[in-house]
Amino acid sequence: MIRIPPPIHAGDRIGVVAPAGPPNARLLRQGADWLERRGYMVEMADGALSPQGYLAAPDRDRLQALNRMLRKPEISAIWFARGGYGSARLLEGIDFEAARKLPKRWIGYSDVTALQLALLGKTGIASFYGPMVVELGQQPAPFHLASLERALDGGPYPALRFPPGNVVRQGRGAGQLVGGCLSLLCSLLGTPF
């Protein structure tokens, strides 16, 4: 059974973690400002923003930053700074017991899919496939604001209309739908995550 973490509201604290590549400092600040204007308190992860080559920090530091946020009861959500290669390198060391005891909304996409699937597989906790912090202050917004707000506060989702698609094969199906970046879904096949 999938568990949905508690909703977050103005006044709640969001932990920003960079599990992969180094975020652009200006865009990261712009995204944090966007969150603060909406009433959230933003806490940047310590030690996860010390670029080392193509990563935001060494694996050990990025993992410790994520685990610190998972263990903090005052953090209501973990919002990922940006995607890119490197997230999957943290899977073996994530404190899933802390994630289970203190469920938080995880928001991100791209290679963060590896973290989101591991969270679901190890704890049964759902995450949210949404914009990275570095995208939050952009205009026009590269995301649907009303849907993002509902993902955060747990309200009803707005009705969205999609163009009709092409039917490849008629039929019906039932099951659990799990989204994410397809290449990451495929790369995790056969692993514990």
Side-chain angles (χ1 to χ4, degrees):
M1 177 159 171
I2 293 180
R3 292 173 41 206
I4 305 294
I8 62 172
H9 305 287
D12 286 343
R13 183 174 297 275
I14 294 172
V16 175
V17 177
N24 174 291
R26 180 184 61 78
L27 295 177
L28 184 64
R29 183 69 253 156
Q30 185 175 296
D33 291 346
W34 187 91
L35 289 168
E36 289 169 350
R37 283 193 305 276
R38 279 156 179 74
Y40 300 109
M41 294 183 286
V42 176
E43 183 175 328
M44 295 288 177
D46 295 335
L49 299 172
S50 306
Q52 180 174 1
Y54 56 86
L55 296 169
D59 290 353
R60 181 194 74 245
D61 295 350
R62 296 187 337 275
L63 176 61
Q64 287 174 352
L66 174 59
N67 283 335
R68 274 193 299 273
M69 291 295 184
L70 288 173
R71 294 172 184 140
K72 288 184 171 191
E74 66 273 19
I75 298 292
S76 299
I78 295 176
W79 208 312
F80 296 98
R82 64 156 281 189
Y85 174 77
S87 295
R89 293 166 57 151
L90 308 182
L91 295 177
E92 299 270 336
I94 295 173
D95 187 348
F96 291 108
E97 188 56 33
R100 188 178 292 106
K101 287 181 182 174
L102 298 167
K104 305 169 190 317
R105 292 199 173 214
W106 289 23
I107 301 107
Y109 72 99
S110 184
D111 280 32
V112 169
T113 295
L115 303 175
Q116 293 169 316
L117 290 173
L119 176 70
L120 180 62
K122 295 292 187 179
T123 69
I125 297 172
S127 60
F128 296 84
Y129 201 78
M132 301 294 192
V133 175
V134 296
E135 297 172 310
L136 293 177
Q138 295 180 14
Q139 290 300 325
F143 53 88
H144 187 258
L145 182 58
S147 295
L148 177 60
E149 289 170 343
R150 295 300 74 80
L152 300 177
D153 68 20
Y157 286 91
L160 298 176
R161 299 205 186 279
F162 296 98
N166 295 326
V167 175
V168 176
R169 181 179 207 141
Q170 292 286 340
R172 298 180 77 109
Q176 189 176 73
L177 177 64
V178 177
C181 179
L182 184 57
S183 64
L184 270 291
L185 285 162
C186 292
S187 72
L188 290 175
L189 288 172
T191 75
F193 306 104

